[in-house]
Amino acid sequence: MVNEETPNIIEGCLIFEMKKKVEPYMAYVEIAPHNKGLNKKHEKVAGCLIAFACRLSFIKANEPYRGYLVFDVLEEDKADVVTHGSIFNKI
């Protein structure tokens, strides 16, 4: 993902694929270092990339997978994975 004003600077990236040609899968999402932390250049880059992947699932997938998005949660720190798991299990 790039900004129209600075197309040579990558703000974040996403790998989307159709697993077994039917299941929408977000294989990877990464935010540029300058878009992390308190002094980030742009807000909600990850959210925009995930929303785009969801849009692709409506465009590329057929029923019953249309609108679904499968992804794995992988964190550098294993404690963050446990924290995210406990949050999502409450939903």
Side-chain angles (χ1 to χ4, degrees):
M1 181 170 95
V2 297
N3 184 327
E4 289 180 354
E5 296 170 1
T6 54
N8 59 335
I9 299 174
I10 296 172
E11 306 298 344
C13 64
L14 164 77
I15 298 174
F16 176 90
E17 64 182 76
M18 296 295 291
K19 278 196 161 184
K20 299 177 185 172
K21 298 184 180 183
V22 296
E23 185 179 36
Y25 179 68
M26 185 172 61
Y28 183 78
V29 63
E30 179 70 28
I31 309 309
H34 59 270
N35 288 321
K36 296 179 182 178
L38 296 174
N39 297 321
K40 60 185 132 200
K41 183 177 176 184
H42 298 287
E43 295 281 333
K44 301 179 179 143
V45 173
C48 290
L49 290 169
I50 294 167
F52 181 71
C54 290
R55 181 175 182 263
L56 287 176
S57 77
F58 279 100
I59 294 169
K60 296 186 174 278
N62 295 317
E63 295 298 337
Y65 295 103
R66 185 171 287 139
Y68 283 37
L69 182 62
V70 178
F71 58 93
D72 299 311
V73 176
L74 302 173
E75 293 286 346
E76 292 177 14
D77 184 353
K78 295 293 180 189
D80 290 339
V81 173
V82 173
T83 302
H84 287 135
S86 66
I87 292 169
F88 292 124
N89 285 332
K90 293 178 184 176
I91 298 175

